[in-house]
Amino acid sequence: MKFKLGCDLSYQVVEETVFIFNLEVAPLPRHRELMDRFILSPDLPRRTYMTPDTKNRYTGVIVGPGPFSVSYTAEVDLDVHRAEPSSVREMDVRDLPLDILPFLLPSRFVPSDRLAAFAYKEFAELPRGHDRVSAICSWIYRNIEYQRGSSNSETTATEILIQRAGVCRDFAHLGIAFCRALGIPARFVSCYAFGLDPGDFHAVFEAYLDGRWWLFDGTRQAALDGLVRIGVGRDAAEVAFCTPYGLMEPGEVKIWIARADGAPEPTPRTVDAISTEELAAAPSL
């Protein structure tokens, strides 16, 4: 499906500030015919970097005092991989590629070791595979209230489990924590999300099953086959859409995504297993 998407961000810079942005669509093989444009106002020199494995795209710019704005637009044909959920199995740790193993470990916002006892009690007896991760998402959806302002940029998965309220980044962190506690590699995903209302940068997670990363969303607010990836990391700390170093005040933010054919109605939500990643090569012995 073809999408048009983008964002407009504005700031009032008080003192010279270094901005690091991660808001561009990742150039994945399944993000076909990607065309995009990233405009800075004022138009200042910028540095760019793309991580070789995950294709996260970072842009750095130094901005002096005064108004500063960013405009990003893109068009992309999202070609997702689909599978029957019951056919997607879990992998034993001994069979995982070594570059996947860091996504089994606790991280800043995902202290999965502290949630292991709870995860085992709730989910260890469920059938292993995609259906078990879906059951984790269903538990989060039923037991955690989606409540704006209930958490902040320092809230961890453990705190979300205690207070039982959070936003999309918290739902993703908790899902990642439960998966890692059960020996399922999981990572944080930032994206543009078709079907999300109101529009915003959305956070979901991926679990590594059957040699591929699969998408999951505990909030149930967006279409899994309408998630256009920006970046992935161990948790939200690695894929913030803007990281400023200096004194500035954020202004208006606008994020949108729509079907490129102009169709006003959303597509039916799929129950298939959905991935925008390619099948990994079998690990060598």
Side-chain angles (χ1 to χ4, degrees):
M1 187 182 299
K2 293 186 178 181
F3 293 104
K4 293 182 178 180
L5 57 89
C7 64
D8 293 315
L9 314 175
S10 63
Y11 303 90
Q12 183 65 38
V13 179
V14 180
E15 296 179 357
E16 184 177 85
T17 299
V18 177
F19 289 88
I20 308 296
F21 293 104
N22 178 211
L23 47 77
E24 298 166 87
V25 173
L28 307 177
R30 292 188 174 275
H31 287 171
R32 304 188 187 280
E33 301 177 16
L34 174 62
M35 298 184 295
D36 58 0
R37 190 179 184 190
F38 192 174
I39 300 174
L40 304 177
S41 181
D43 187 13
L44 300 168
R46 68 185 79 177
R47 296 177 295 161
T48 61
Y49 173 71
M50 182 170 67
T51 55
D53 49 352
T54 60
K55 306 303 181 184
N56 296 0
R57 299 163 70 186
Y58 298 96
T59 294
V61 58
I62 302 172
V63 184
F68 173 62
S69 63
V70 169
S71 177
Y72 176 71
T73 56
E75 293 189 25
V76 62
D77 187 357
L78 179 60
D79 177 26
V80 301
H81 172 76
R82 300 173 184 270
E84 166 58 40
S86 62
S87 71
V88 181
R89 63 184 180 85
E90 288 181 28
M91 301 175 67
D92 293 331
V93 173
R94 67 181 182 182
D95 297 324
L96 292 171
L98 292 180
D99 62 337
I100 300 298
L101 296 180
F103 298 103
L104 282 174
L105 303 177
S107 57
R108 177 180 176 185
F109 296 116
V110 184
S112 49
D113 51 339
R114 298 182 181 180
L115 298 180
F118 184 92
Y120 270 88
K121 180 180 178 181
E122 291 289 335
F123 311 114
E125 299 304 318
L126 297 178
R128 288 161 49 92
H130 191 282
D131 288 338
R132 175 153 72 159
V133 183
S134 289
I136 289 172
C137 289
S138 294
W139 186 95
I140 294 171
Y141 179 74
R142 292 192 306 266
N143 291 277
I144 308 298
E145 181 181 358
Y146 190 91
Q147 183 178 333
R148 294 182 181 274
S150 59
S151 62
N152 58 42
S153 61
E154 298 180 355
T155 305
T156 68
T158 304
E159 293 167 314
I160 292 302
L161 183 60
I162 294 171
Q163 70 188 33
R164 298 297 176 102
V167 294
C168 61
R169 76 191 295 274
D170 305 308
F171 280 54
H173 283 154
L174 192 55
I176 294 168
F178 288 156
C179 285
R180 290 180 186 173
L182 295 167
I184 304 170
R187 66 187 186 182
F188 189 93
V189 181
S190 62
C191 57
Y192 295 93
F194 182 62
L196 190 67
D197 186 23
D200 203 347
F201 292 115
H202 196 42
V204 297
F205 73 96
E206 289 177 327
Y208 191 81
L209 305 163
D210 225 1
R212 189 191 297 266
W213 289 103
W214 300 88
L215 287 159
F216 296 90
D217 182 5
T219 72
R220 303 281 200 256
Q221 292 191 3
L224 286 179
D225 56 352
L227 301 178
V228 179
R229 193 172 99 193
I230 299 171
V232 296
R234 291 177 299 169
D235 57 33
E238 297 186 348
V239 288
F241 73 88
C242 175
T243 305
Y245 296 89
L247 186 57
M248 62 84 199
E249 296 178 0
E252 185 178 0
V253 175
K254 181 181 178 182
I255 303 104
W256 73 91
I257 178 172
R259 288 175 55 169
D261 60 9
E265 296 297 324
T267 56
R269 299 291 171 89
T270 180
V271 294
D272 293 341
I274 298 294
S275 173
T276 56
E277 282 279 349
E278 302 305 305
L279 188 67
S284 57
L285 299 178

